[in-house]
Amino acid sequence: MKIIKTALHYWIAIVSVLSFLVGWGMLAHSLKPVQASSQTSTQNTVSLPALPPIQAFGGLTGNNSGSGLNLSVPNNPPPVSVFPRLRSGGS
Amino acid sequence: METFAFRAMNSDILLAALGTPARTSEGFEETRRFIQACENRFTRFSEESELSALNRSAGTPFQASPDLFAVVALAQHFFHQTRGLFDPSILPDLKRIGYDRSMDFLRADGPAPLFESLLVEEHPSFSEMDLDETRGMILLPPGMSLDLGGIAKGWIAEQAATLLSDFSSACAVNAGGDMFLIGLPEGETHWPVAIEDPLQPENDLTTIQVDPGAVATSAVTKRVWKQGEKQRHHLIDPRTREPAQTEWLSVTVIAPHAYQAEVFAKALLIGGPQELEELSRRGAARFSYLAVDHDLKIWGNQNSLEGLYVNRTL
């Protein structure tokens, strides 16, 4: 009788672990609710507005690229000052 | 111009002030104490902070200090103004993706196990929070917890600069890229501010010349980590409750107030070009902003072209 009980315990333990692993695998490969809501949200987005890139940055030409916007690029860089170097790059 | 640097709010803080060494030193010390007191109040990484106490109080009214109430009220205002693209109630999602301790510890210890990221729990909308202005009470609905990270940092930078200006004729407070500028350096007409290259932060992408006021940048490349095989960053898109997938790497906003710059930098970055028109209608058009895309091309709105003196440094 004791042997049967012990075997039953082992059997339940093994089946439990296997069931958990199978469930885990299914959950890991299933489509997550987040992805579903993400798809829904894109349906409500507005169309891409035309935002002109600041093309003058690339070649330092000072001319715009037909966007109708003027960007003044100095011929001489401003003099170097003694005040601290301030940088912004995301916090 | 005198400078003073230290670390607080998980960021490098730089104070700069124009004045006599004795006065500026006194101002730096006062400002440092103020910033550290604010950090102790607003951090979510300490159980002792007032913000953590507020989060624990969810479901019952909380008597807030004037400073905490002011920042939470600003957060509520901007939540509505950005149609929820700015949302401080995404704290459970930040924790789920592994950002459950300060970035310094996260990088040292590694993030939470991946299996936790599978469990997307429902939590109430930030619009359900109630504020009682007459009594300074905040009522978070059950299950809500807040991360005031960016907006608090912007608010602190501006308050700190105002304090420092009592000791100097011109000053700057730079809190990890969120900065507030008062007055002008001697003989100058603008403050030069370098914008970091989002892909190589040790380099500058460009330098802008700005008037006194606020500058803030949000970037998806700044606070990043791996959770299992997944690359994570700290800017949660409230619509998907996952790290934002965006066409821009960083957005810099120049605005009169630091909290405006911080909020709109985040909202524009998360919303991307698709939300630009709507966000412009809702306030962003009043400010100057620059966006850097994945090819490091810089995009700007009309104000940035007209009001900023931009100089390419690379």
Side-chain angles (χ1 to χ4, degrees), chain B residues 160-233:
Chain B
T162 305
L163 174 61
L164 186 55
S165 70
D166 289 342
F167 299 85
S168 61
S169 54
C171 65
V173 172
N174 186 359
D178 289 359
M179 64 188 78
F180 197 77
L181 315 165
I182 294 178
L184 286 167
E186 212 166 22
E188 300 293 333
T189 55
H190 296 90
W191 289 88
V193 176
I195 306 299
E196 281 181 21
D197 180 338
L199 297 178
Q200 293 177 296
E202 65 277 13
N203 295 334
D204 296 340
L205 199 59
T206 188
T207 300
I208 56 177
Q209 306 282 334
V210 299
D211 293 326
V215 181
T217 300
S218 275
V220 294
T221 52
K222 198 68 178 182
R223 290 176 188 253
V224 296
W225 66 95
K226 287 200 97 172
Q227 189 184 36
E229 291 303 308
K230 292 191 174 183
Q231 185 75 24
R232 301 297 204 181
H233 66 76

Side-chain angles (χ1 to χ4, degrees), chain A residues 43-78:
Chain A
Q43 292 167 2
N44 299 325
T45 55
V46 296
S47 60
L48 181 71
L51 182 69
I54 304 176
Q55 298 287 4
F57 284 175
L60 285 177
T61 61
N63 300 322
N64 64 60
S65 57
S67 64
L69 298 169
N70 279 315
L71 177 73
S72 60
V73 178
N75 292 327
N76 300 311

Side-chain angles (χ1 to χ4, degrees), chain B residues 4-24:
Chain B
F4 181 69
F6 60 101
R7 192 155 174 86
M9 303 186 286
N10 291 302
S11 301
D12 293 323
I13 311 291
L14 177 69
L15 311 179
L18 191 63
T20 63
R23 282 294 284 164
T24 52

Side-chain angles (χ1 to χ4, degrees), chain B:
Chain B
M1 189 165 259
E2 308 291 323
T3 61
F4 181 69
F6 60 101
R7 192 155 174 86
M9 303 186 286
N10 291 302
S11 301
D12 293 323
I13 311 291
L14 177 69
L15 311 179
L18 191 63
T20 63
R23 282 294 284 164
T24 52
S25 292
E26 192 184 348
F28 289 154
E29 188 51 36
E30 286 267 327
T31 308
R32 186 188 63 79
R33 275 202 293 267
F34 172 78
I35 290 174
Q36 289 185 331
C38 286
E39 179 180 18
N40 294 340
R41 183 185 300 284
F42 288 110
T43 181
R44 70 173 169 96
F45 300 117
S46 166
E47 288 301 308
E48 310 301 316
S49 74
E50 189 182 3
L51 178 62
S52 294
L54 170 65
N55 286 338
R56 283 194 299 273
S57 79
T60 55
F62 180 83
Q63 180 66 61
S65 67
D67 286 353
L68 179 64
F69 190 88
V71 175
V72 172
L74 280 172
Q76 187 187 49
H77 169 77
F78 285 114
F79 171 80
H80 293 296
Q81 192 168 357
T82 62
R83 287 202 312 172
L85 280 175
F86 168 77
D87 184 348
S89 71
I90 44 75
L91 179 55
D93 300 307
L94 275 177
K95 289 180 174 175
R96 175 175 51 82
I97 64 167
Y99 195 5
D100 57 354
R101 69 209 87 157
S102 79
M103 191 53 62
D104 293 343
F105 287 115
L106 189 64
R107 285 177 180 142
D109 304 340
L114 182 60
F115 67 84
E116 289 183 17
S117 71
L118 294 172
L119 306 172
V120 181
E121 294 172 10
E122 283 304 314
H123 60 77
S125 163
F126 189 53
S127 61
E128 294 175 38
M129 181 189 71
D130 249 351
L131 295 182
D132 182 342
E133 285 185 35
T134 52
R135 293 191 296 160
M137 306 281 281
I138 302 171
L139 175 58
L140 301 183
M144 178 178 288
S145 53
L146 306 182
D147 173 26
L148 295 173
I151 193 170
K153 195 186 285 184
W155 183 88
I156 292 166
E158 183 166 341
Q159 299 288 322
T162 305
L163 174 61
L164 186 55
S165 70
D166 289 342
F167 299 85
S168 61
S169 54
C171 65
V173 172
N174 186 359
D178 289 359
M179 64 188 78
F180 197 77
L181 315 165
I182 294 178
L184 286 167
E186 212 166 22
E188 300 293 333
T189 55
H190 296 90
W191 289 88
V193 176
I195 306 299
E196 281 181 21
D197 180 338
L199 297 178
Q200 293 177 296
E202 65 277 13
N203 295 334
D204 296 340
L205 199 59
T206 188
T207 300
I208 56 177
Q209 306 282 334
V210 299
D211 293 326
V215 181
T217 300
S218 275
V220 294
T221 52
K222 198 68 178 182
R223 290 176 188 253
V224 296
W225 66 95
K226 287 200 97 172
Q227 189 184 36
E229 291 303 308
K230 292 191 174 183
Q231 185 75 24
R232 301 297 204 181
H233 66 76
H234 76 301
L235 292 172
I236 297 285
D237 185 336
R239 299 166 300 182
T240 63
R241 298 172 59 185
E242 288 286 311
Q245 303 289 320
T246 170
E247 293 178 34
W248 290 331
L249 294 177
S250 72
V251 173
T252 299
V253 173
I254 298 92
H257 292 288
Y259 47 81
Q260 294 168 328
E262 167 66 35
V263 163
F264 277 97
K266 187 175 285 182
L268 285 165
L269 182 61
I270 291 172
Q274 292 85 353
E275 291 291 334
L276 188 59
E277 202 174 300
E278 182 63 27
L279 284 170
S280 294
R281 268 200 300 273
R282 289 174 166 266
R286 289 184 288 133
F287 313 131
S288 300
Y289 52 83
L290 298 171
V292 179
D293 68 16
H294 289 259
D295 298 322
L296 298 183
K297 187 181 282 184
I298 304 174
W299 301 67
N301 67 336
Q302 189 73 32
N303 288 349
S304 71
L305 291 167
E306 292 171 352
L308 299 177
Y309 171 92
V310 186
N311 183 32
R312 183 84 172 187
T313 53
L314 284 177

